[in-house]
Amino acid sequence: MQRYFIDENYQPTVHLTDENYHHIVRVMRMKNGQEIFVVFADEMAIKAEITDITEESVIVTEIEKETFQRELPIHITIASGFPKGEKLELIAQKATELGAFNFFVFPAETSVVKWDQKKQGKKVARLNKIIQEAAEQSHRQHLPRLESISPKELVNHFSDFDAVLIAYEESAKQGEQAQLVQTFQQLTAGQKLLVIFGPEGGLTPKEIENYQLAGAKLAGLGPRILRTETAPLYLLSVASFYYELSSSTAH
Amino acid sequence: MQRYFIDENYQPTVHLTDENYHHIVRVMRMKNGQEIFVVFADEMAIKAEITDITEESVIVTEIEKETFQRELPIHITIASGFPKGEKLELIAQKATELGAFNFFVFPAETSVVKWDQKKQGKKVARLNKIIQEAAEQSHRQHLPRLESISPKELVNHFSDFDAVLIAYEESAKQGEQAQLVQTFQQLTAGQKLLVIFGPEGGLTPKEIENYQLAGAKLAGLGPRILRTETAPLYLLSVASFYYELSSSTAH
């Protein structure tokens, strides 16, 4: 069943307009009586029936609330230094499936790609479109958003989070294994984690020092060298395992 | 530093031939005195120096053994029902990075793609090439191999494993959360796990019944719907977390 995200908070009767209207009426050619999922800005989700279609809006009415919890108990924001090629597309799609809460992208010191102002708007819009499609397909109850920011803004954002980690390849080489588990043990439902991933060339010692001075901690993600687009998927998968699968047994 | 996998067991002086020779001499244009990693069939790995280059072989001599353990303590084989498009390429590459031990691919009942005999050989060779490159890049000490088998052969292989799981989307919907952790708790270093993933259309009730009769168990991979190419990455990431990161604290 199709899933539509809207910017308003929960209400039992909703008017869907603009892009959602276009998709329901023109693309899916849906009619009165057909059912869809509507996800609200406050992360409420309902199964709803189309009760009226006008010139400008599709009116739907709640059949039942979605009670199954699909969101990770902690909110994880993925910050990626601009990688090459189509890697951000892969990160955006797969990390959304795996429960990422939001995304930052930033020009890291070793980033080969530099986004100019003009390119940037288009690229961010395209990535947010990919995120939306992935959120629909994986039945998310929160629509993650991606924002392109400067390295300085990234550090300024640290104070919005309860913990900040740096996924650091050298940690893997040195066998750092404890930080990720320790961070998970400290964070409880509703808290916010930011994890920073370097591009292909990694983060420089200067960047790492900057982040550490601002409160971030280095965390190893196991003993194998992961590519820049694989590391966020590892992080999100293990967060799911820790908070959603093993809580009943190990914690 | 370049990494070469060879079919022989460990020896301190090695002759590299054929493809490895071609890569070292023609592609990399390496000379006496330069260093490479050599990984043997018995999963020993050494840093070695090129001591001679003849018409047909590159002779290298051990400098030191690689002592850092990069392989997952349990051996996980990923069995994927043929998916559409380039998804097997993504699974092969990323799952190798994340520590998969081996791969089976098989025609599941809902697989849209059917590989004919001729296509099959080429496709398997191409996937094994992708796996080898990923194993080199992620510094693996074991070179995973991919084999295309029939559904009947898949079930016959169950007896080679200490546990067999079915990654089952419906389990996610029904909130099955315990099986994966239970299986991890039962398996110890050196044991073998096979995990079966359906294609986009999932596994049919008949397939699942077949596998269950042969001893496989259904396991949920968290509450979000994961695509066929994402689920194996989740499984391998959480196995790494369980056996490599959290063993010192939680288990």
Side-chain angles (χ1 to χ4, degrees), chain A residues 80-85 87-88 91 105 111 113 115 123 198-200 228:
Chain A
S80 290
F82 295 161
K84 283 186 270 185
K87 285 175 190 165
L88 270 184
I91 295 170
V105 294
S111 287
V113 180
W115 294 5
K123 187 121 188 174
E200 294 84 354
T228 181

Side-chain angles (χ1 to χ4, degrees), chain B residues 229-246:
Chain B
E229 73 275 22
T230 313
L233 314 187
Y234 180 103
L235 189 279
L236 289 161
S237 299
V238 307
S240 163
F241 182 77
Y242 185 91
Y243 290 102
E244 297 174 332
L245 291 190
S246 65

Side-chain angles (χ1 to χ4, degrees), chain B residues 2 6-7 10 17-18 28-29 32 55 72 82 118 125 130 139-140 146 165 187 197 199 201 208 227 242 247:
Chain B
Q2 288 292 318
I6 67 169
D7 269 341
Y10 167 74
T17 56
D18 303 323
M28 301 300 294
R29 297 172 183 275
N32 279 350
E55 286 291 302
L72 268 173
F82 294 161
K118 215 174 113 194
I130 289 170
H139 297 205
R140 294 286 305 272
L146 179 142
L165 293 178
L187 292 176
F197 299 86
I208 288 165
R227 295 182 204 215
Y242 185 91
S247 56

Side-chain angles (χ1 to χ4, degrees), chain A residues 21 26 53-58:
Chain A
Y21 178 87
R26 308 267 176 257
I53 300 177
T54 72
E55 286 290 305
E56 283 182 338
S57 68
V58 174

Side-chain angles (χ1 to χ4, degrees), chain B residues 4-16 37-49 60-67 141:
Chain B
Y4 297 94
F5 291 89
I6 67 169
D7 269 341
E8 300 156 46
N9 283 346
Y10 167 74
Q11 47 202 295
T13 299
V14 202
H15 292 240
L16 298 170
F37 284 110
V38 179
V39 185
F40 298 93
D42 53 5
E43 298 181 19
M44 286 282 295
I46 59 171
K47 187 199 274 187
E49 184 186 338
V60 303
T61 305
E62 173 176 338
I63 296 169
E64 60 183 9
K65 292 187 179 62
E66 202 176 67
T67 51
Q141 289 154 341

Side-chain angles (χ1 to χ4, degrees), chain B residues 4 24-25 28-32 34-36 50 53:
Chain B
Y4 297 94
I24 293 170
V25 177
M28 301 300 294
R29 297 172 183 275
M30 294 178 86
K31 308 275 180 234
N32 279 350
Q34 286 192 273
E35 294 176 5
I36 61 171
I50 298 176
I53 300 177

Side-chain angles (χ1 to χ4, degrees), chain A residues 118-132:
Chain A
K118 216 174 112 193
K119 251 196 198 163
Q120 192 155 313
K122 252 185 153 170
K123 187 121 188 174
V124 167
R126 185 174 137 70
L127 289 166
N128 274 314
K129 183 84 186 148
I130 288 171
I131 288 167
Q132 184 171 332

Side-chain angles (χ1 to χ4, degrees), chain A residues 207-219:
Chain A
E207 285 176 302
I208 287 164
E209 199 194 332
N210 260 344
Y211 299 150
Q212 284 182 309
L213 283 173
K217 289 181 177 155
L218 294 175

